[in-house]
Amino acid sequence: MLFRSDRKKSEKKYRDIFEGALEGIYRTSWDGKSQAANPAFAKMLGYDSEQDLVSIMTDTAQQLWLNPNERLHFLHVLDKDGVVRGMECQFKRKNGSPIWVSLNCRKVCGEDGQVLYTDGFIEDIAERKQMEDALRKSEEKFAKAFLSSPAITMLSDL
């Protein structure tokens, strides 16, 4: 009886971590069917619940990846290295709008070496990408003004 109680406490602890995580957590079959998702992942992609996302997401290449060919690259790296770290790409929200994300993922194999599924973490990096774009545009504007100025201009650093 004590064992059952300890197991339930352990399951609750890990369920609380999964459901309370700020990053998206998911499990997907190798062929692209969503098997599990936490609330943060569902919310990030505009789904009403994680159950909604899992039931609808049957082909991640077409339904999730903005560019399905990027998924092929992702799978190639994952197959070769067993993990993908910090891969930046664009996903599609439920309404079709793009979202920049950073992926960390690992493939999980059975005893026979066959891939069972992939487990991953997703971080929304849209705000960072917007700031990077704004900085790039500002630098281009400054460079254009600097290079096209008829005045002699010098920059120095102490």
Side-chain angles (χ1 to χ4, degrees), residues 130-145:
Q130 289 172 346
M131 289 190 308
E132 287 173 356
D133 190 48
L135 178 61
R136 182 187 50 76
K137 287 178 181 174
S138 174
E139 288 174 344
E140 288 173 358
K141 184 178 177 182
F142 175 78
K144 187 182 277 186

Side-chain angles (χ1 to χ4, degrees), residues 26-32 60 65 70-87 91 103-109 113-122:
Y26 72 91
R27 176 171 285 173
T28 305
S29 67
W30 190 251
D31 63 350
T60 58
W65 291 77
E70 276 191 283
R71 182 172 186 273
L72 295 175
H73 171 69
F74 165 78
L75 289 175
H76 173 75
V77 172
L78 193 56
D79 194 38
K80 182 173 77 74
D81 299 337
V83 298
V84 170
R85 294 184 188 274
M87 180 179 181
F91 279 179
L103 291 172
N104 291 298
C105 186
R106 69 183 183 110
K107 71 178 180 178
V108 178
C109 298
Q114 294 296 314
V115 178
L116 300 174
Y117 51 83
T118 63
D119 282 337
F121 295 86
I122 307 289

